[in-house]
């Protein structure tokens, strides 16, 4: 346009006259139609921002008539400035790990949105296969993953048989619902002896052989003669149930779905429907002529669907696959007690999961260290129990599937599995606000932990008041935790009752007698599988499952503690510090003038401050410290205003000193701060302007602290402590019982030189002979000593919350990954550093010094395995070395450091040595030595 510059500032536009502005922006409709399309957008952008409304057809400053709207060459101008829609924070689900479309459909039905990519920060993560412990460790508190770590202890057939065998020894009458099982090749001799006994009694048994880690019926075969079973394969052998309950003449089993929403504490739900899977050939007792007829003896859908006689479900009472609801109705019509049958099935499921609870809880807490037990679980799991019923209506547990099929080949599958997944999602109680609330809680906790001051008081310097106060504070913290746990359990149970849908909770159960029996079994399970923690877990079981205190009772106990604390503060003991000084006014700055007495004031204010504001007090103290460091000078002991100089010294002293010795608030501008309990405007009382100015001073003091300065101090301190930790780890050595350090080093060197000879033997010992519990105990030898070092160097009683300890926990979990394969990979030159991938795939940055600490820990675990193997070999062969112990010193397999020596007990290992008893003795040794190292 003529007269209009290409670039024009706002000042030049404002200097124009209003008529010129009107002429400049007065664009007629005729001229608008002749503007080329390339310049229409630039012209439209020059329209006034706030045009006057005429008839409702004006669009962003351009008015079009009806005739012009009808012309085809006139187009409405593009609206450039749109109101940005507020982004909705929907609940996202990561379904990249599943192949089942029904999961996607149910996610959309409950209102979730499916993430486009493999989003690791989705609220819900669903995977069809096993999930590593590293991924569980990286989950945020608002996320949910459909697998628990450690569940393989009951989903693998060999692990299930081994764990059930241990519980059968403690509760033979309770754990009699699994067929007699042998694990090959270890139990091959026992199997042959059992077969000989049966032949001597003129009884013939049929055995079913399954792969230890098989699925979908692959590799299953039947044998009438146990001598024909191959001894070298890794199979499990079970007695065949030859008298099953038949349905229309066919053998069948039940696929029962079970949901576990939490393992800390344990919550188990049973779905009220499921599948009845029938064989496709009429059942006959097993004989030599029909043991190879798998369509007769196996009920797996993946096997029978290939038979030409397989029938698809077209109604309630037809087909090779039917529903449990139809089965229950069929039993009622046959005058069978259906309620009793399902009580027995629920009892069997609960007892099975009680066996898995020690393994799952231990693995979960290793992945989530420092998380309280009443917090929301980040894991859940849907299990498929395969149950067979014999002619006496006795349920038998066949196997457990941790990833049951959600295929929908038939309408019956879709109806049952869609309801199962939908009710599972609703019972998880995933909310969009969880992410924001958990992130805020994490920030607050991190800030509280960083700004917390730890004052270590010697035992002799504590007065009776200090000891009593510490005892009361500890008691109050325990009661607050208990109160939080009770409220969380109450609200969670109320939500479950309202949203369980077609689920029903079977543990904790409402029957008190049965629940007490389950708790007894649970405590025995922890004592059996996690030796040394039985007493601790027994107390925890009492709190989580048998707590008889109500919320009102805990509140009354808290009120008693607070009343006792209040009475204790008024007590003046012979060694006490006297009456505590009154609390400073909230509207005034805290004793800025009295710098020498600041420490005493801080000590008093910490005692007065509610327990919910320690981070704020730490921030104010850090602000004062940073202000002094930045100014480079110290403040005088007291400030005196101009009005004070006219008074005699005695008068000023009377106002500030002896008259109110408890007051820590200085006089500013010759006026005393107005008390909050007084009226306004009195003599000597400061007005609202004084309070406002003082509040402004407090804000200026707090804002003067640079956050980067505080973070740099914290970072430098952490680097220094990490360096000390690395030094201590490098000084650690594995000590062989009865040998000197040089002899142990020589032994390790010889084993490394003859590695080709020792490799298959150590592999058999570590990967085959030791189960998961014993492998974990070998690694715990190093883990317990590393924690003791962290506790001594970092001066922290709760080392699990340290970042370095969390990194170490990930390394230890990786070494135990895949049944010990993680540590075994460290012996190979090609895969020796494979454990470092847990940090390369993570978003958390790990420094080089922290990586060196992790490498040293891996080396210690390698040496520990070699020493344990050699010690077990010598103890078994009876060639353990004899060496007299040093004066005042025992010998055992320990970690020795120059800054602290942890001695053992035994000079010589027992003749019949096993790593279970050895690790028990070793863990007891360390429990008594940690305090020495920490001091």
């Amino acid at each position: 346009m003529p007269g209009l510059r290409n670039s024009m500032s706002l000042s030049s536009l404002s200097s124009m006259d209003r008529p010129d502005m009107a002429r400049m922006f007065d664009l007629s409709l005729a001229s608008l139609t002749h503007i080329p399309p390339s310049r229409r957008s630039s012209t439209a952008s020059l329209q006034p921002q706030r045009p006057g409304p005429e008839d409702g057809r004006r669009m962003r400053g351009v008015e079009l008539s009806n005739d012009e709207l009808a012309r085809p060459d006139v187009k409405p101008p593009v609206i450039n400035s749109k109101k940005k829609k507020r982004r909705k924070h929907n609940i996202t689900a990561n379904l990249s790990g599943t192949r089942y479309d029904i999961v996607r459909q149910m996610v959309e039905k409950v209102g979730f949105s499916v993430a486009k990519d493999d989003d690791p920060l989705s609220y819900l993560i669903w995977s069809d296969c096993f999930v590593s412990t590293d991924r569980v460790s990286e989950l945020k508190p608002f996320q949910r993953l459909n697998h628990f770590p450690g569940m393989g202890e009951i989903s693998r057939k060999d692990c299930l048989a081994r764990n059930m065998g241990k519980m059968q020894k403690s509760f033979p009458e309770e754990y009699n619902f699994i067929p007699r099982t042998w694990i090959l090749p270890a139990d091959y001799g026992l199997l042959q002896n059992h077969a000989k006994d049966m032949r001597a009694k003129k009884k013939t048994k049929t055995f079913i052989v399954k792969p230890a880690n098989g699925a979908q019926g692959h590799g299953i075969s039947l044998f009438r003669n146990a001598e024909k079973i191959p001894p070298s394969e890794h199979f499990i052998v079970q007695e065949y149930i030859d008298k099953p309950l038949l349905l229309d003449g066919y053998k069948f089993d039940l696929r029962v779905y079970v949901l576990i929403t939490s393992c800390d504490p344990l919550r188990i739900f049973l779905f009220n429907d499921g599948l009845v899977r029938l064989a496709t050939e009429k059942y006959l007792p097993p004989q030599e002529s029909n043991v190879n007829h798998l369509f007769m003896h196996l009920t797996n859908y993946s096997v029978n669907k290939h038979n030409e006689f397989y029938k698809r479900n077209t109604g309630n009472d037809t087909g090779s696959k039917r529903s449990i609801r139809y089965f229950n109705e069929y039993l009622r019509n046959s005058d069978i007690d259906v309620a009793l049958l399902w009580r027995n099935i629920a009892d069997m499921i609960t007892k099975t999961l009680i066996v898995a609870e020690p393994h799952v809880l231990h693995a979960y807490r290793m992945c989530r260290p420092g998380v309280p037990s009443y917090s929301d679980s980040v894991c859940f799991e849907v299990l498929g129990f395969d149950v067979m019923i014999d002619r006496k209506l006795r349920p038998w547990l066949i196997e457990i599937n941790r990833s049951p099929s959600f295929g929908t080949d038939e309408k019956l599958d879709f109806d049952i599995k869609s309801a199962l997944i939908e009710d599972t999602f609703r019972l998880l109680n995933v909310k969009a606000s969880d992410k924001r609330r958990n992130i805020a809680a994490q920030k607050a906790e991190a800030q509280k932990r960083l700004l917390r001051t730890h004052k270590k008081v010697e035992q002799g310097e504590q007065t009776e008041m200090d000891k009593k106060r510490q005892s009361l504070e500890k008691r109050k913290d325990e009661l607050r935790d208990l109160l939080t746990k009770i409220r969380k359990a109450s609200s969670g149970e109320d939500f479950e009752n309202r949203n369980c849908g077609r689920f029903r909770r079977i543990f904790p159960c409402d029957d008190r007698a049965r629940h007490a029996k389950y708790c007894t079994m649970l405590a025995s399970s922890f004592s059996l599988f996690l030796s040394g923690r039985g007493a601790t877990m027994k107390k925890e079981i009492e709190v989580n499952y048998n707590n008889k205190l109500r919320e009102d009772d805990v509140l009354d106990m808290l009120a008693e503690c607070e009343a006792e604390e209040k009475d204790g503060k008024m007590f003046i003991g012979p060694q006490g510090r006297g009456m505590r000084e009154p609390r400073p006014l909230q509207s005034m700055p805290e004793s800025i003038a009295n710098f020498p007495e600041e420490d005493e004031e801080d000590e008093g204010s910490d005692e007065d401050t509610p327990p919910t504001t320690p981070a704020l007090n730490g921030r104010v103290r850090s602000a004062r410290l940073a202000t002094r460091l930045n100014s480079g000078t110290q403040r005088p002991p007291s400030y005196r205003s101009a009005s004070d100089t006219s008074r005699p010294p005695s008068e000023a002293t009377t106002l500030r000193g002896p008259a109110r010795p408890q007051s820590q608030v200085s006089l500013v501008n010759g006026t005393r701060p107005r008390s909050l309990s007084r009226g306004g405007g009195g003599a000597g009382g400061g007005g609202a302007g004084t309070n406002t100015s003082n509040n402004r001073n407090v804000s200026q003091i707090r804002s003067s602290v640079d956050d980067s300065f505080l973070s740099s101090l914290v970072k430098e301190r952490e680097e220094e402590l990490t360096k000390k930790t690395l030094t201590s780890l490098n000084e650690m050595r594995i000590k062989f019982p009865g040998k000197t350090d040089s002899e142990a080093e020589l032994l390790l060197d010889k084993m490394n030189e003859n590695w080709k000879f020792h490799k298959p033997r150590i592999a058999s010992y570590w990967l085959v002979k030791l189960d998961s519990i014993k492998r974990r105990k070998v690694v715990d030898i190093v883990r317990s000593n590393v924690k003791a070092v962290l506790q001594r160097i970092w001066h922290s009683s709760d080392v699990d919350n340290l970042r370095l300890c969390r990194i170490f926990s990930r390394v230890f979990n990786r070494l135990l990954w895949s049944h010990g394969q993680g540590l075994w990979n460290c012996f190979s030159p090609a895969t020796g550093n494979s454990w470092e991938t847990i940090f390369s795939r993570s978003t958390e940055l790990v420094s080089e010094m922290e990586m060196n600490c992790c490498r040293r820990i891996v080396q210690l675990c390698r040496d520990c395995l070699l020493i344990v193997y050699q010690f077990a070999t010598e103890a078994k062969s009876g060639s353990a070395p004899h060496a007299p112990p040093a004066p005042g010193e025992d010998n055992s397999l320990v970690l020795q450091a120059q800054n602290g020596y942890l001695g053992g007990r035994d000079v010589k290992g027992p003749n019949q040595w096993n790593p279970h008893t050895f690790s028990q003795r070793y863990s007891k040794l360390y429990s008594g030595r940690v305090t020495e190292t920490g001091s």
Side-chain angles (χ1 to χ4, degrees):
M1 295 179 59
L4 183 64
R5 300 177 182 177
N6 293 331
S7 62
M8 186 177 295
S9 63
L10 294 176
S11 60
S12 60
L13 285 174
S14 61
S15 63
M16 292 183 178
D17 296 334
R18 291 178 181 265
D20 297 336
M21 289 283 292
R23 284 194 299 272
M24 182 184 302
F25 291 99
D26 186 12
L27 302 178
S28 63
L29 294 175
S31 61
L32 182 63
T33 57
H34 290 87
I35 295 178
S38 60
R39 296 183 60 188
R40 284 180 189 170
S41 59
S42 61
T43 309
S45 63
L46 295 175
Q47 303 303 321
Q49 296 295 325
R50 300 182 61 184
E54 294 293 338
D55 58 352
R57 293 192 179 97
R58 194 182 302 268
M59 302 176 63
R60 295 295 177 187
V62 178
E63 181 182 359
L64 301 179
S65 64
N66 292 331
D67 296 337
E68 290 167 334
L69 285 173
R71 293 182 56 178
D73 56 341
V74 178
K75 297 181 180 179
V78 179
I79 300 175
N80 294 329
S81 58
K82 292 183 179 180
K83 290 185 177 179
K84 293 184 179 180
K85 293 184 179 181
R86 195 171 186 178
R87 184 180 178 183
K88 295 182 179 180
H89 297 279
N90 295 329
I91 300 176
T92 57
N94 181 358
L95 306 181
S96 61
T98 180
R99 65 182 185 275
Y100 301 114
D101 189 62
I102 189 175
V103 180
R104 183 183 303 273
Q105 296 178 25
M106 293 303 104
V107 162
E108 296 174 350
K109 183 176 180 180
V110 298
F112 299 171
S113 60
V114 180
K116 296 182 179 179
D117 301 323
D118 186 7
D119 184 11
L121 295 180
S122 296
Y123 286 78
L124 176 68
I125 302 176
W126 189 284
S127 178
D128 295 339
C129 57
F130 169 76
V131 178
S132 65
T133 55
D134 298 333
R135 191 164 189 180
V136 179
S137 302
E138 294 172 359
L139 289 177
K140 305 298 181 183
F142 62 87
Q143 294 182 282
R144 300 292 185 272
L145 178 67
N146 69 322
H147 288 293
F148 277 101
M151 196 61 73
E153 293 295 329
I154 60 172
S155 62
R156 282 180 58 101
K157 298 179 181 64
D158 55 346
C159 295
L160 176 65
R162 184 183 298 111
N163 293 324
M164 284 294 184
K166 293 179 180 179
M167 285 297 289
Q168 282 177 349
K169 295 179 181 179
S170 301
F171 301 93
E173 299 297 329
E174 299 291 343
Y175 285 86
N176 56 357
F177 50 80
I178 186 171
R180 188 167 183 177
T181 310
W182 295 269
I183 304 174
L184 300 187
D187 297 339
Y188 185 77
L190 298 177
L191 172 64
Q192 297 301 326
N193 293 335
H194 176 75
K196 291 179 182 178
D197 294 340
M198 291 294 103
R199 286 195 298 267
K201 297 178 182 179
K202 297 183 180 180
K203 294 182 180 180
T204 304
K205 287 288 185 179
T206 304
F207 301 95
I208 182 170
V209 181
K210 308 175 184 179
N213 197 23
Q216 298 181 347
H218 297 303
I220 299 179
S221 56
L222 273 68
F223 290 88
R224 295 278 293 172
N225 187 359
E227 295 179 355
K228 296 182 180 180
I229 299 176
S232 58
E233 299 293 338
H234 192 54
F235 286 115
I236 68 162
V237 181
Q238 289 182 326
E239 287 186 350
Y240 183 76
I241 302 174
D242 55 359
K243 294 180 180 181
L245 182 67
L246 302 181
L247 185 61
D248 296 340
Y250 295 95
K251 182 182 177 181
F252 69 93
D253 71 347
L254 306 179
R255 169 57 62 88
V256 182
Y257 294 105
V258 177
L259 171 65
I260 304 174
T261 58
S262 172
C263 69
D264 192 9
L266 183 62
R267 313 287 289 186
I268 308 173
F269 295 85
L270 176 64
F271 194 63
N272 67 352
D273 204 354
L275 296 174
V276 181
R277 307 179 301 178
L278 283 75
T280 51
E281 288 186 13
K282 293 285 186 177
Y283 179 77
L284 294 174
Q287 300 292 334
E288 289 291 346
S289 59
N290 63 14
V291 290
N292 295 325
H293 294 186
L294 298 183
F295 296 134
M296 177 190 297
H297 299 288
L298 300 186
T299 58
N300 302 74
Y301 167 72
S302 57
V303 173
N304 287 280
K305 69 179 180 179
H306 298 292
N307 190 6
E308 58 180 351
F309 298 108
Y310 178 83
K311 299 178 183 179
R312 298 182 65 86
N313 180 269
T314 57
N316 292 331
D317 56 350
T318 59
S320 299
K321 188 186 295 184
R322 305 176 191 180
S323 67
I324 286 183
R325 287 189 175 184
Y326 159 77
F327 175 69
N328 292 338
E329 191 64 28
Y330 173 83
L331 295 180
R332 292 190 187 97
N333 296 335
S334 302
D335 295 332
I336 295 177
D337 192 350
V338 179
L340 176 62
L341 173 64
W342 282 102
R343 278 200 300 270
N344 294 334
I345 293 177
D347 181 70
M348 177 185 66
I349 292 172
T350 304
K351 292 176 182 176
T352 303
L353 292 176
I354 284 176
V355 173
E357 173 65 5
H359 306 277
V360 175
L361 182 62
H362 179 78
Y364 182 81
R365 287 185 175 178
M366 288 295 101
C367 296
R368 315 287 298 176
V371 177
S373 60
Y374 49 80
S375 60
D376 295 333
S377 174
V378 298
C379 296
F380 70 97
E381 190 138 17
V382 178
L383 299 174
F385 279 72
D386 291 344
V387 181
M388 188 169 291
I389 302 173
D390 60 13
R391 294 179 184 177
K392 297 181 180 180
L393 299 178
R394 178 182 177 184
W396 293 87
L397 177 63
I398 304 301
E399 64 181 15
I400 302 171
N401 298 271
R402 69 179 308 178
S403 296
S405 172
F406 287 102
T408 54
D409 297 339
E410 303 179 21
K411 182 179 181 299
L412 177 67
D413 291 319
F414 182 84
D415 294 340
I416 294 176
K417 296 174 183 178
S418 62
L420 169 69
I421 299 174
E422 180 184 356
D423 289 347
T424 297
F425 289 158
R426 298 191 187 280
L427 200 54
L428 293 180
N429 193 20
V430 181
K431 301 184 292 295
S433 60
D434 291 344
K435 183 176 182 179
R436 182 174 61 254
R437 185 175 67 252
N438 284 310
I439 290 177
Q442 279 184 328
K443 289 182 179 179
E445 183 65 24
Q447 187 179 26
K448 175 182 176 181
R449 188 168 58 249
L450 287 175
L451 297 179
R452 183 185 304 160
T453 57
H454 298 280
K455 291 186 177 180
K456 188 175 181 180
V457 181
E458 297 294 337
Q459 191 70 20
E461 298 179 0
Q462 289 185 347
T463 61
E464 293 297 330
M465 285 288 293
D466 293 332
K467 295 179 181 179
K468 186 176 182 180
R469 187 179 296 108
Q470 288 180 2
S471 177
L472 282 174
E473 287 297 330
K474 183 179 180 181
R475 176 63 175 164
K476 286 169 62 177
D477 291 340
E478 293 176 354
L479 290 176
R480 290 192 190 99
D481 291 340
L482 180 59
L483 181 62
T484 304
K485 188 176 296 186
I486 292 175
R487 288 175 174 174
K488 190 83 173 180
S490 177
S491 61
E493 186 171 350
D494 181 65
F495 176 83
E496 292 170 356
N497 295 333
R498 290 184 286 105
N499 297 274
C500 61
R502 281 148 285 195
F503 281 105
R504 66 181 179 94
R505 189 178 66 246
I506 60 176
F507 185 84
C509 59
D510 298 329
D511 189 349
R512 293 185 178 180
R514 179 171 293 187
H515 183 72
K517 181 181 68 174
Y518 290 155
C519 292
T520 303
M521 294 180 183
L522 192 59
S524 300
S525 179
F526 276 102
S527 301
L528 179 62
F529 295 107
L530 297 179
S531 58
R533 298 193 56 191
T536 304
M537 295 308 302
K538 187 175 181 179
K539 295 179 181 178
E540 192 169 336
I541 289 171
E542 289 294 327
V543 174
N544 290 336
Y545 306 109
N546 291 330
N547 185 26
K548 299 179 181 179
L549 294 176
R550 297 177 299 176
E551 182 178 349
D552 296 337
D553 300 333
V554 180
L555 289 175
D556 293 341
M557 297 168 70
L558 268 174
E560 292 178 1
C561 289
E562 291 176 355
E564 186 177 356
E565 184 181 16
K566 187 176 181 181
D567 296 340
K569 288 177 182 178
M570 303 302 295
F571 172 75
I572 306 177
Q575 298 178 353
R577 293 175 298 178
M579 291 183 59
R580 207 151 49 115
E581 299 170 350
R583 187 176 180 178
L585 298 178
Q586 297 294 332
S587 60
M588 300 295 292
E590 293 186 26
S591 182
I592 298 177
N594 298 330
F595 172 66
E597 300 175 359
E598 204 170 49
D599 294 336
E600 296 180 3
E601 179 194 355
D602 287 346
E603 188 176 357
S605 62
D606 286 344
E607 296 169 359
D608 253 345
T609 306
T612 57
T613 60
L616 180 60
N617 296 333
R619 185 188 296 272
V620 174
R621 288 192 296 269
S622 301
R624 296 198 200 107
L625 174 61
T627 305
R628 283 182 233 142
L629 293 175
N630 293 333
S631 62
T633 58
Q634 294 183 352
R635 292 171 292 185
S638 62
Y639 292 132
R640 181 176 295 179
S641 62
S643 59
D644 289 338
T645 56
S646 60
R647 296 193 187 102
S650 60
E651 184 180 354
T653 306
T654 304
L655 286 176
R656 277 194 296 266
R660 292 178 60 87
Q662 296 86 7
S663 178
Q664 296 292 332
V665 181
S666 61
L667 297 177
V668 181
N669 296 329
T671 59
R672 182 176 297 279
R674 181 173 60 91
S675 174
L676 295 177
S677 61
R678 298 177 184 173
T690 305
N691 295 335
T692 304
S693 62
N694 290 327
N695 284 331
R696 188 180 298 112
N697 293 335
V698 175
S699 301
Q700 292 175 357
I701 293 173
R702 291 176 180 175
S703 62
S704 63
V705 181
D706 190 3
D707 291 339
S708 61
F709 174 72
L710 291 177
S711 61
S712 63
L713 290 178
V714 174
K715 187 175 182 180
E716 291 177 1
R717 179 60 176 168
E718 289 181 349
E719 290 178 354
E720 180 184 355
L721 295 178
T722 305
K723 187 176 181 180
K724 291 183 179 179
T725 304
L726 178 59
T727 304
S728 298
L729 292 177
N730 290 330
E731 293 173 351
M732 283 185 175
R733 296 293 183 271
I734 304 294
K735 184 175 178 60
F736 195 99
K739 295 182 183 293
T740 62
D741 294 341
S742 58
E743 292 175 346
E745 291 290 340
L746 182 61
L747 176 64
L748 291 175
D749 294 340
K750 289 182 178 180
M751 295 181 70
N752 291 326
E753 292 176 0
N754 301 325
W755 180 242
K756 291 184 179 181
F757 172 79
H758 293 288
K759 180 179 179 180
R761 293 163 176 79
I762 298 177
S764 176
Y765 175 78
W766 174 249
L767 299 177
V768 179
K769 186 175 181 179
L770 298 184
D771 57 8
S772 59
I773 298 296
K774 295 177 182 178
R775 281 192 293 263
R776 187 180 298 114
K777 291 187 177 193
V778 173
V779 175
D780 284 345
I781 294 176
V782 180
R783 189 202 302 263
S784 59
N785 285 271
V786 170
K787 283 190 175 182
V789 170
L790 292 176
Q791 185 178 9
R792 177 183 58 82
I793 294 178
W794 292 74
H795 299 288
S796 174
S797 58
D798 189 11
V799 294
D800 290 334
N801 284 328
L802 295 177
R803 178 178 181 272
L804 194 60
C805 186
R806 292 197 298 268
I807 293 175
F808 292 167
S809 297
R810 294 178 62 184
V811 175
F812 287 122
N813 293 336
R814 178 66 182 186
L815 297 181
L816 294 172
W817 166 76
S818 186
H819 302 277
Q821 191 66 40
L823 179 57
W824 182 247
N825 290 341
C826 297
F827 286 92
S828 174
T831 60
N833 297 329
S834 60
W835 59 270
E836 297 183 7
T837 56
I838 61 176
F839 300 114
S840 60
R841 298 174 183 175
S842 174
T843 57
E844 185 179 8
L845 297 178
V846 180
S847 64
E848 184 63 26
M849 193 175 302
E850 292 170 340
M851 282 297 298
N852 292 334
C853 292
C854 296
R855 294 187 182 101
R856 179 55 184 167
I857 287 177
V858 172
Q859 181 62 39
L860 288 173
C861 291
R862 288 180 51 184
D863 295 346
C864 186
L865 172 58
L866 297 179
I867 293 295
V868 168
Y869 163 74
Q870 187 65 24
F871 183 83
T873 304
E874 294 183 3
K876 185 176 180 180
S877 61
S879 59
H882 296 265
E889 173 188 334
D890 297 331
N891 290 302
S892 181
L893 178 62
V894 296
L895 286 171
Q896 178 182 349
Q898 293 180 4
N899 46 33
Y901 178 76
L902 304 179
R905 301 190 307 178
D906 300 333
V907 178
K908 176 183 176 181
N911 292 330
Q912 296 181 352
W913 181 88
N914 63 83
H916 182 76
T917 56
F918 177 76
S919 299
Q920 286 183 358
R921 184 173 69 252
Y922 195 71
S923 61
K924 292 179 181 178
L925 166 67
Y926 271 115
S927 63
R929 295 284 185 170
V930 167
T931 54
E932 295 182 13
T933 310
S935 61

